[in-house]
Amino acid sequence: TLATGCPPLVPTSLATSPEGWALVKKVGNVSIYSRQLEDRKLWLASAVTLPYHPAIVAAGVRAVLDEWVEDSDALVASIRTLYRAPVATPVTVEESKCCHEQVLHVTMRRQSLLDKLVSRGSPRDAVVRSAWSTTNGVHACALRSADHPDAPLLPNVKRTEVAADVYVRADPDEPACSCVMCVVDAGSAGSLLQFHINSMVTWLQRTQELAGNIERVISSVSQEVPDG
């Protein structure tokens, strides 16, 4: 089980390998796949050979959510943090049952006719709990729909269910690098992604960018700390 205590969407072996998935789009080191698993459609977004430690890349994933740039994405308009665990585990942790936790309020935009048809004309939002665990150096995040008093249901706004798992680990082909895989259940939120494949590419590219920023900050701090 993941940090939330819920089972993963798919077995780890399926989530961490593109084998059996159909390639939908590839941009540089980022690939988007889909597959049918029993009665469910799933998306897999992956980025390989990221030149950073898995802990740094996992921190980059969290930074994408923490530092969401409004009006930068065709699907997600804004992300607001409703709750953050009072004590965060250091970035470099290797073993933890629940090392980072947040509850986020996500508002979505509708720009195309297809979006409006999927949401039946209503604006959409979601409340998502993000919880990370780390086992044997593999960083795993479960994102699941949640409730929070600061984000009540609103009239004429459709509350979207979200289910996604993120895995960050050492790249098996490039041991000095990392890879990140994100599995999304094509339920309410996942069905919108079929119109926004480029958003998944952008999210992973942004993860790489912020991981680089975090790496530079850590390096500069370590250089400033005197020996002894």
Side-chain angles (χ1 to χ4, degrees):
T1 59
L2 300 170
T4 55
C6 61
L9 295 175
V10 298
T12 305
S13 59
L14 291 181
T16 56
S17 171
E19 185 176 351
W21 296 79
L23 181 64
V24 177
K25 188 179 184 72
K26 181 175 176 61
V27 180
N29 67 331
V30 176
S31 300
I32 309 298
Y33 305 87
S34 68
R35 73 175 294 163
Q36 196 75 24
L37 188 64
E38 297 176 349
D39 61 343
R40 294 182 298 156
K41 182 175 182 180
L42 302 167
W43 295 98
L44 171 66
S46 74
V48 299
T49 61
L50 280 69
Y52 312 109
H53 188 279
I56 302 298
V57 177
V61 175
R62 292 189 289 272
V64 170
L65 302 178
D66 281 336
E67 304 172 20
W68 192 263
V69 180
E70 293 194 20
D71 299 324
S72 65
D73 187 75
L75 177 59
V76 176
S78 64
I79 298 178
R80 178 168 58 104
T81 300
L82 303 174
Y83 167 82
R84 189 191 309 275
V87 179
T89 307
V91 165
T92 53
V93 69
E94 291 293 328
E95 296 287 336
S96 177
K97 291 183 178 180
C98 188
C99 51
H100 297 274
E101 182 179 1
Q102 292 172 280
V103 178
L104 308 163
H105 182 221
V106 181
T107 58
M108 303 177 191
R109 69 174 80 254
R110 295 176 296 119
Q111 291 186 334
S112 70
L113 176 60
L114 287 174
D115 291 347
K116 294 177 181 178
L117 290 174
V118 169
S119 60
R120 297 181 181 179
S122 300
R124 285 177 175 259
D125 74 350
V127 177
V128 183
R129 181 189 178 209
S130 166
W132 287 81
S133 60
T134 310
T135 305
N136 297 325
V138 177
H139 298 249
C141 175
L143 297 106
R144 298 290 188 274
S145 294
D147 296 313
H148 195 278
D150 291 339
L153 291 170
L154 297 176
N156 302 318
V157 176
K158 183 175 179 60
R159 181 60 50 91
T160 300
E161 296 294 315
V162 174
D165 296 334
V166 180
Y167 299 89
V168 185
R169 63 172 184 167
D171 192 311
D173 298 320
E174 296 287 345
C177 298
S178 298
C179 55
V180 54
M181 290 75 61
C182 178
V183 179
V184 182
D185 192 322
S188 297
S191 63
L192 287 175
L193 286 175
Q194 64 185 306
F195 310 126
H196 295 287
I197 300 297
N198 289 335
S199 287
M200 289 190 279
V201 174
T202 300
W203 299 340
L204 287 180
Q205 291 174 333
R206 178 70 172 153
T207 293
Q208 297 178 66
E209 175 188 343
L210 293 178
N213 293 345
I214 294 167
E215 172 84 357
R216 285 188 289 274
V217 169
I218 292 176
S219 297
S220 65
V221 170
S222 62
Q223 291 171 4
E224 292 173 3
V225 177
D227 294 336

Short mmCIF file of all heavy atoms in Angstrom, two decimals, residues 69-124:
data_model
loop_
_atom_site.label_atom_id
_atom_site.label_comp_id
_atom_site.label_asym_id
_atom_site.label_seq_id
_atom_site.Cartn_x
_atom_site.Cartn_y
_atom_site.Cartn_z
N VAL A 69 2.04 28.04 -11.41
CA VAL A 69 1.99 29.34 -12.08
C VAL A 69 0.62 29.48 -12.73
O VAL A 69 0.29 28.74 -13.68
CB VAL A 69 3.11 29.47 -13.13
CG1 VAL A 69 3.02 30.83 -13.82
CG2 VAL A 69 4.47 29.27 -12.48
N GLU A 70 -0.19 30.39 -12.22
CA GLU A 70 -1.53 30.56 -12.77
C GLU A 70 -1.45 31.02 -14.23
O GLU A 70 -0.54 31.73 -14.64
CB GLU A 70 -2.32 31.58 -11.93
CG GLU A 70 -2.63 31.07 -10.53
CD GLU A 70 -3.68 31.89 -9.83
OE1 GLU A 70 -4.43 32.59 -10.53
OE2 GLU A 70 -3.75 31.82 -8.59
N ASP A 71 -2.43 30.58 -15.00
CA ASP A 71 -2.54 30.90 -16.43
C ASP A 71 -1.40 30.29 -17.25
O ASP A 71 -1.15 30.73 -18.37
CB ASP A 71 -2.57 32.42 -16.65
CG ASP A 71 -3.75 33.09 -15.98
OD1 ASP A 71 -4.83 32.46 -15.95
OD2 ASP A 71 -3.59 34.20 -15.47
N SER A 72 -0.73 29.26 -16.69
CA SER A 72 0.37 28.63 -17.43
C SER A 72 -0.03 27.30 -18.04
O SER A 72 0.75 26.70 -18.77
CB SER A 72 1.56 28.40 -16.49
OG SER A 72 1.22 27.47 -15.47
N ASP A 73 -1.26 26.83 -17.75
CA ASP A 73 -1.66 25.49 -18.17
C ASP A 73 -3.06 25.53 -18.75
O ASP A 73 -3.91 26.28 -18.29
CB ASP A 73 -1.60 24.54 -16.96
CG ASP A 73 -1.85 23.10 -17.37
OD1 ASP A 73 -0.93 22.49 -17.95
OD2 ASP A 73 -2.95 22.59 -17.12
N ALA A 74 -3.28 24.70 -19.77
CA ALA A 74 -4.58 24.70 -20.44
C ALA A 74 -5.65 23.97 -19.66
O ALA A 74 -6.83 24.16 -19.91
CB ALA A 74 -4.44 24.07 -21.83
N LEU A 75 -5.26 23.13 -18.71
CA LEU A 75 -6.24 22.34 -17.96
C LEU A 75 -6.42 22.85 -16.54
O LEU A 75 -7.54 23.09 -16.09
CB LEU A 75 -5.82 20.87 -17.92
CG LEU A 75 -6.71 19.92 -17.10
CD1 LEU A 75 -8.14 19.93 -17.63
CD2 LEU A 75 -6.14 18.51 -17.12
N VAL A 76 -5.32 23.02 -15.80
CA VAL A 76 -5.39 23.43 -14.40
C VAL A 76 -5.19 24.94 -14.31
O VAL A 76 -4.15 25.47 -14.72
CB VAL A 76 -4.32 22.70 -13.56
CG1 VAL A 76 -4.34 23.21 -12.12
CG2 VAL A 76 -4.58 21.21 -13.59
N ALA A 77 -6.18 25.63 -13.77
CA ALA A 77 -6.09 27.09 -13.65
C ALA A 77 -5.28 27.50 -12.42
O ALA A 77 -4.43 28.39 -12.49
CB ALA A 77 -7.49 27.70 -13.57
N SER A 78 -5.53 26.85 -11.28
CA SER A 78 -4.83 27.24 -10.05
C SER A 78 -4.81 26.07 -9.08
O SER A 78 -5.65 25.17 -9.16
CB SER A 78 -5.50 28.45 -9.40
OG SER A 78 -6.82 28.12 -8.97
N ILE A 79 -3.83 26.09 -8.17
CA ILE A 79 -3.73 25.10 -7.10
C ILE A 79 -3.47 25.85 -5.80
O ILE A 79 -2.54 26.65 -5.71
CB ILE A 79 -2.59 24.09 -7.34
CG1 ILE A 79 -2.84 23.30 -8.64
CG2 ILE A 79 -2.45 23.14 -6.16
CD1 ILE A 79 -1.75 22.31 -8.97
N ARG A 80 -4.31 25.58 -4.82
CA ARG A 80 -4.19 26.24 -3.50
C ARG A 80 -3.94 25.18 -2.43
O ARG A 80 -4.64 24.18 -2.37
CB ARG A 80 -5.49 27.01 -3.21
CG ARG A 80 -5.55 27.71 -1.87
CD ARG A 80 -6.74 28.66 -1.83
NE ARG A 80 -8.01 27.99 -2.07
CZ ARG A 80 -8.90 27.71 -1.10
NH1 ARG A 80 -8.65 28.05 0.16
NH2 ARG A 80 -10.04 27.12 -1.38
N THR A 81 -2.93 25.41 -1.60
CA THR A 81 -2.63 24.47 -0.53
C THR A 81 -3.56 24.72 0.65
O THR A 81 -3.56 25.82 1.22
CB THR A 81 -1.17 24.60 -0.08
OG1 THR A 81 -0.31 24.31 -1.20
CG2 THR A 81 -0.85 23.63 1.05
N LEU A 82 -4.35 23.71 1.01
CA LEU A 82 -5.28 23.82 2.13
C LEU A 82 -4.66 23.30 3.42
O LEU A 82 -5.01 23.76 4.52
CB LEU A 82 -6.55 23.02 1.83
CG LEU A 82 -7.31 23.40 0.56
CD1 LEU A 82 -8.45 22.42 0.32
CD2 LEU A 82 -7.83 24.83 0.65
N TYR A 83 -3.76 22.35 3.30
CA TYR A 83 -3.13 21.74 4.48
C TYR A 83 -1.76 21.23 4.09
O TYR A 83 -1.56 20.71 2.99
CB TYR A 83 -3.97 20.58 5.02
CG TYR A 83 -3.23 19.73 6.03
CD1 TYR A 83 -3.13 20.12 7.37
CD2 TYR A 83 -2.61 18.54 5.64
CE1 TYR A 83 -2.44 19.34 8.29
CE2 TYR A 83 -1.93 17.76 6.56
CZ TYR A 83 -1.84 18.17 7.88
OH TYR A 83 -1.14 17.40 8.79
N ARG A 84 -0.81 21.42 4.99
CA ARG A 84 0.51 20.85 4.82
C ARG A 84 0.92 20.24 6.15
O ARG A 84 0.69 20.83 7.21
CB ARG A 84 1.52 21.94 4.41
CG ARG A 84 2.88 21.39 4.01
CD ARG A 84 3.89 22.55 3.89
NE ARG A 84 3.40 23.61 3.05
CZ ARG A 84 3.51 23.65 1.73
NH1 ARG A 84 4.09 22.64 1.11
NH2 ARG A 84 3.04 24.66 1.03
N ALA A 85 1.51 19.05 6.12
CA ALA A 85 1.95 18.42 7.36
C ALA A 85 2.86 19.36 8.13
O ALA A 85 3.75 19.98 7.54
CB ALA A 85 2.68 17.11 7.05
N PRO A 86 2.64 19.52 9.44
CA PRO A 86 3.43 20.48 10.23
C PRO A 86 4.93 20.26 10.16
O PRO A 86 5.71 21.20 10.15
CB PRO A 86 2.92 20.27 11.66
CG PRO A 86 1.56 19.68 11.48
CD PRO A 86 1.63 18.84 10.25
N VAL A 87 5.34 18.99 10.10
CA VAL A 87 6.77 18.69 10.05
C VAL A 87 7.06 17.94 8.76
O VAL A 87 6.53 16.85 8.53
CB VAL A 87 7.21 17.83 11.26
CG1 VAL A 87 8.70 17.52 11.17
CG2 VAL A 87 6.90 18.56 12.56
N ALA A 88 7.89 18.53 7.93
CA ALA A 88 8.26 17.89 6.67
C ALA A 88 9.58 17.16 6.84
O ALA A 88 10.51 17.65 7.47
CB ALA A 88 8.37 18.93 5.56
N THR A 89 9.67 15.97 6.28
CA THR A 89 10.90 15.19 6.32
C THR A 89 11.92 15.82 5.38
O THR A 89 11.56 16.32 4.31
CB THR A 89 10.61 13.74 5.88
OG1 THR A 89 9.53 13.25 6.67
CG2 THR A 89 11.82 12.86 6.06
N PRO A 90 13.20 15.83 5.74
CA PRO A 90 14.22 16.40 4.84
C PRO A 90 14.15 15.81 3.44
O PRO A 90 13.77 14.64 3.25
CB PRO A 90 15.54 16.05 5.55
CG PRO A 90 15.16 15.91 6.98
CD PRO A 90 13.76 15.36 6.99
N VAL A 91 14.55 16.61 2.45
CA VAL A 91 14.48 16.19 1.05
C VAL A 91 15.20 14.88 0.81
O VAL A 91 14.77 14.03 0.03
CB VAL A 91 15.08 17.31 0.15
CG1 VAL A 91 15.36 16.79 -1.24
CG2 VAL A 91 14.14 18.50 0.10
N THR A 92 16.31 14.66 1.50
CA THR A 92 17.16 13.52 1.19
C THR A 92 16.77 12.23 1.91
O THR A 92 17.52 11.26 1.91
CB THR A 92 18.62 13.86 1.55
OG1 THR A 92 18.67 14.31 2.91
CG2 THR A 92 19.16 14.95 0.64
N VAL A 93 15.61 12.18 2.55
CA VAL A 93 15.20 10.97 3.27
C VAL A 93 15.13 9.77 2.34
O VAL A 93 14.76 9.89 1.18
CB VAL A 93 13.83 11.19 3.96
CG1 VAL A 93 12.71 11.29 2.93
CG2 VAL A 93 13.53 10.06 4.93
N GLU A 94 15.52 8.60 2.82
CA GLU A 94 15.50 7.39 2.01
C GLU A 94 14.41 6.41 2.45
O GLU A 94 13.96 5.59 1.66
CB GLU A 94 16.87 6.69 2.09
CG GLU A 94 17.99 7.45 1.40
CD GLU A 94 17.82 7.51 -0.11
OE1 GLU A 94 17.26 6.56 -0.69
OE2 GLU A 94 18.22 8.51 -0.71
N GLU A 95 14.00 6.46 3.72
CA GLU A 95 12.99 5.53 4.23
C GLU A 95 11.99 6.30 5.08
O GLU A 95 12.36 6.93 6.06
CB GLU A 95 13.64 4.42 5.07
CG GLU A 95 14.58 3.51 4.29
CD GLU A 95 13.86 2.56 3.36
OE1 GLU A 95 12.67 2.27 3.61
OE2 GLU A 95 14.48 2.11 2.38
N SER A 96 10.72 6.26 4.72
CA SER A 96 9.68 6.92 5.51
C SER A 96 8.32 6.43 5.05
O SER A 96 8.06 6.35 3.85
CB SER A 96 9.75 8.44 5.37
OG SER A 96 8.71 9.05 6.09
N LYS A 97 7.44 6.09 6.00
CA LYS A 97 6.10 5.62 5.65
C LYS A 97 5.22 6.76 5.15
O LYS A 97 4.31 6.55 4.36
CB LYS A 97 5.46 4.94 6.85
CG LYS A 97 6.11 3.61 7.22
CD LYS A 97 5.37 2.93 8.37
CE LYS A 97 6.01 1.59 8.69
NZ LYS A 97 5.32 0.91 9.82
N CYS A 98 5.44 7.97 5.65
CA CYS A 98 4.70 9.14 5.16
C CYS A 98 5.58 10.35 5.41
O CYS A 98 5.60 10.90 6.52
CB CYS A 98 3.36 9.30 5.85
SG CYS A 98 2.33 10.60 5.11
N CYS A 99 6.34 10.75 4.39
CA CYS A 99 7.34 11.79 4.61
C CYS A 99 6.86 13.18 4.23
O CYS A 99 7.45 14.17 4.67
CB CYS A 99 8.63 11.45 3.87
SG CYS A 99 8.43 11.01 2.13
N HIS A 100 5.83 13.30 3.40
CA HIS A 100 5.29 14.60 3.02
C HIS A 100 3.79 14.43 2.78
O HIS A 100 3.37 13.45 2.17
CB HIS A 100 5.94 15.14 1.75
CG HIS A 100 7.41 15.41 1.89
ND1 HIS A 100 7.91 16.60 2.37
CD2 HIS A 100 8.47 14.63 1.62
CE1 HIS A 100 9.23 16.53 2.38
NE2 HIS A 100 9.60 15.35 1.93
N GLU A 101 3.00 15.40 3.22
CA GLU A 101 1.56 15.31 3.02
C GLU A 101 0.98 16.71 2.80
O GLU A 101 1.37 17.67 3.47
CB GLU A 101 0.88 14.66 4.24
CG GLU A 101 -0.62 14.50 4.06
CD GLU A 101 -1.27 13.83 5.26
OE1 GLU A 101 -0.55 13.52 6.22
OE2 GLU A 101 -2.49 13.64 5.23
N GLN A 102 0.08 16.81 1.84
CA GLN A 102 -0.62 18.06 1.55
C GLN A 102 -2.06 17.75 1.16
O GLN A 102 -2.37 16.65 0.69
CB GLN A 102 0.03 18.79 0.37
CG GLN A 102 1.40 19.35 0.59
CD GLN A 102 1.97 19.87 -0.72
OE1 GLN A 102 2.46 19.11 -1.53
NE2 GLN A 102 1.88 21.17 -0.93
N VAL A 103 -2.92 18.73 1.34
CA VAL A 103 -4.26 18.71 0.75
C VAL A 103 -4.36 19.94 -0.13
O VAL A 103 -4.07 21.06 0.32
CB VAL A 103 -5.37 18.69 1.82
CG1 VAL A 103 -6.74 18.72 1.15
CG2 VAL A 103 -5.25 17.46 2.71
N LEU A 104 -4.76 19.74 -1.37
CA LEU A 104 -4.74 20.80 -2.38
C LEU A 104 -6.13 21.02 -2.97
O LEU A 104 -6.88 20.05 -3.16
CB LEU A 104 -3.77 20.42 -3.51
CG LEU A 104 -2.36 20.01 -3.09
CD1 LEU A 104 -1.66 19.28 -4.21
CD2 LEU A 104 -1.56 21.25 -2.66
N HIS A 105 -6.45 22.27 -3.25
CA HIS A 105 -7.68 22.60 -3.97
C HIS A 105 -7.30 23.01 -5.39
O HIS A 105 -6.56 23.97 -5.59
CB HIS A 105 -8.43 23.73 -3.28
CG HIS A 105 -9.73 24.07 -3.95
ND1 HIS A 105 -10.17 25.36 -4.14
CD2 HIS A 105 -10.69 23.27 -4.49
CE1 HIS A 105 -11.33 25.34 -4.75
NE2 HIS A 105 -11.67 24.09 -4.98
N VAL A 106 -7.80 22.26 -6.35
CA VAL A 106 -7.44 22.46 -7.75
C VAL A 106 -8.66 22.99 -8.50
O VAL A 106 -9.74 22.41 -8.42
CB VAL A 106 -6.98 21.13 -8.39
CG1 VAL A 106 -6.59 21.34 -9.85
CG2 VAL A 106 -5.83 20.52 -7.60
N THR A 107 -8.48 24.09 -9.21
CA THR A 107 -9.54 24.58 -10.09
C THR A 107 -9.11 24.36 -11.53
O THR A 107 -7.94 24.54 -11.87
CB THR A 107 -9.84 26.07 -9.86
OG1 THR A 107 -8.63 26.84 -10.07
CG2 THR A 107 -10.31 26.31 -8.43
N MET A 108 -10.06 23.96 -12.36
CA MET A 108 -9.76 23.62 -13.75
C MET A 108 -10.43 24.61 -14.68
O MET A 108 -11.49 25.15 -14.39
CB MET A 108 -10.22 22.19 -14.06
CG MET A 108 -9.61 21.15 -13.14
SD MET A 108 -10.23 19.49 -13.47
CE MET A 108 -9.55 18.63 -12.03
N ARG A 109 -9.78 24.82 -15.80
CA ARG A 109 -10.33 25.74 -16.79
C ARG A 109 -10.95 24.94 -17.94
O ARG A 109 -10.60 23.79 -18.18
CB ARG A 109 -9.26 26.68 -17.32
CG ARG A 109 -8.19 26.02 -18.16
CD ARG A 109 -7.26 27.07 -18.76
NE ARG A 109 -6.26 27.50 -17.80
CZ ARG A 109 -6.28 28.69 -17.18
NH1 ARG A 109 -7.25 29.54 -17.42
NH2 ARG A 109 -5.33 29.02 -16.34
N ARG A 110 -11.87 25.56 -18.64
CA ARG A 110 -12.50 24.96 -19.82
C ARG A 110 -12.33 25.91 -20.98
O ARG A 110 -12.87 26.99 -20.98
CB ARG A 110 -13.99 24.70 -19.56
CG ARG A 110 -14.25 23.68 -18.47
CD ARG A 110 -15.74 23.54 -18.19
NE ARG A 110 -16.29 24.78 -17.65
CZ ARG A 110 -17.24 25.49 -18.24
NH1 ARG A 110 -17.73 25.13 -19.39
NH2 ARG A 110 -17.69 26.60 -17.68
N GLN A 111 -11.53 25.48 -21.96
CA GLN A 111 -11.27 26.36 -23.09
C GLN A 111 -11.86 25.84 -24.40
O GLN A 111 -12.07 26.60 -25.32
CB GLN A 111 -9.75 26.54 -23.27
CG GLN A 111 -9.10 27.35 -22.15
CD GLN A 111 -7.65 27.62 -22.43
OE1 GLN A 111 -7.01 26.89 -23.16
NE2 GLN A 111 -7.12 28.69 -21.87
N SER A 112 -12.10 24.55 -24.47
CA SER A 112 -12.56 23.98 -25.73
C SER A 112 -13.99 23.46 -25.61
O SER A 112 -14.49 23.20 -24.51
CB SER A 112 -11.64 22.83 -26.17
OG SER A 112 -11.81 21.73 -25.30
N LEU A 113 -14.61 23.25 -26.74
CA LEU A 113 -15.96 22.69 -26.76
C LEU A 113 -15.96 21.29 -26.18
O LEU A 113 -16.88 20.90 -25.46
CB LEU A 113 -16.49 22.67 -28.20
CG LEU A 113 -17.87 22.01 -28.41
CD1 LEU A 113 -18.93 22.74 -27.60
CD2 LEU A 113 -18.21 21.98 -29.89
N LEU A 114 -14.91 20.50 -26.46
CA LEU A 114 -14.83 19.14 -25.93
C LEU A 114 -14.79 19.15 -24.41
O LEU A 114 -15.44 18.35 -23.75
CB LEU A 114 -13.59 18.44 -26.49
CG LEU A 114 -13.67 18.02 -27.96
CD1 LEU A 114 -12.33 17.47 -28.43
CD2 LEU A 114 -14.76 17.00 -28.18
N ASP A 115 -14.02 20.09 -23.83
CA ASP A 115 -13.99 20.21 -22.37
C ASP A 115 -15.39 20.46 -21.84
O ASP A 115 -15.81 19.88 -20.83
CB ASP A 115 -13.08 21.37 -21.94
CG ASP A 115 -11.62 21.10 -22.22
OD1 ASP A 115 -11.29 19.94 -22.52
OD2 ASP A 115 -10.82 22.04 -22.14
N LYS A 116 -16.10 21.35 -22.49
CA LYS A 116 -17.44 21.71 -22.00
C LYS A 116 -18.40 20.53 -22.12
O LYS A 116 -19.27 20.34 -21.26
CB LYS A 116 -17.96 22.92 -22.80
CG LYS A 116 -17.15 24.19 -22.53
CD LYS A 116 -17.63 25.35 -23.39
CE LYS A 116 -16.80 26.60 -23.12
NZ LYS A 116 -17.20 27.73 -23.96
N LEU A 117 -18.23 19.72 -23.17
CA LEU A 117 -19.08 18.56 -23.32
C LEU A 117 -18.81 17.54 -22.22
O LEU A 117 -19.73 16.94 -21.66
CB LEU A 117 -18.87 17.92 -24.70
CG LEU A 117 -19.40 18.72 -25.90
CD1 LEU A 117 -18.98 18.06 -27.20
CD2 LEU A 117 -20.91 18.86 -25.82
N VAL A 118 -17.51 17.33 -21.89
CA VAL A 118 -17.15 16.36 -20.86
C VAL A 118 -17.69 16.79 -19.50
O VAL A 118 -18.20 16.00 -18.72
CB VAL A 118 -15.62 16.17 -20.80
CG1 VAL A 118 -15.23 15.37 -19.56
CG2 VAL A 118 -15.14 15.45 -22.05
N SER A 119 -17.57 18.08 -19.19
CA SER A 119 -18.01 18.58 -17.88
C SER A 119 -19.47 19.01 -17.88
O SER A 119 -19.96 19.55 -16.89
CB SER A 119 -17.14 19.76 -17.45
OG SER A 119 -17.22 20.80 -18.39
N ARG A 120 -20.15 18.79 -19.03
CA ARG A 120 -21.58 19.11 -19.16
C ARG A 120 -21.86 20.57 -18.83
O ARG A 120 -22.88 20.90 -18.22
CB ARG A 120 -22.41 18.18 -18.28
CG ARG A 120 -22.30 16.72 -18.68
CD ARG A 120 -23.13 15.82 -17.81
NE ARG A 120 -22.98 14.41 -18.21
CZ ARG A 120 -23.58 13.40 -17.62
NH1 ARG A 120 -24.39 13.63 -16.59
NH2 ARG A 120 -23.39 12.17 -18.02
N GLY A 121 -20.96 21.43 -19.26
CA GLY A 121 -21.17 22.86 -19.12
C GLY A 121 -20.82 23.44 -17.77
O GLY A 121 -20.90 24.65 -17.59
N SER A 122 -20.42 22.62 -16.80
CA SER A 122 -20.13 23.13 -15.45
C SER A 122 -18.64 23.33 -15.24
O SER A 122 -17.83 22.53 -15.72
CB SER A 122 -20.65 22.15 -14.39
OG SER A 122 -22.04 21.97 -14.50
N PRO A 123 -18.26 24.37 -14.51
CA PRO A 123 -16.85 24.48 -14.10
C PRO A 123 -16.50 23.30 -13.21
O PRO A 123 -17.36 22.69 -12.59
CB PRO A 123 -16.82 25.79 -13.30
CG PRO A 123 -18.10 26.49 -13.58
CD PRO A 123 -19.09 25.45 -13.99
N ARG A 124 -15.20 22.96 -13.15
CA ARG A 124 -14.75 21.82 -12.36
C ARG A 124 -13.73 22.24 -11.32
O ARG A 124 -12.95 23.19 -11.53
CB ARG A 124 -14.10 20.76 -13.26
CG ARG A 124 -15.07 19.94 -14.09
CD ARG A 124 -14.29 18.98 -14.97
NE ARG A 124 -15.17 18.09 -15.71
CZ ARG A 124 -15.41 16.83 -15.36
NH1 ARG A 124 -14.85 16.33 -14.28
NH2 ARG A 124 -16.21 16.08 -16.08
#
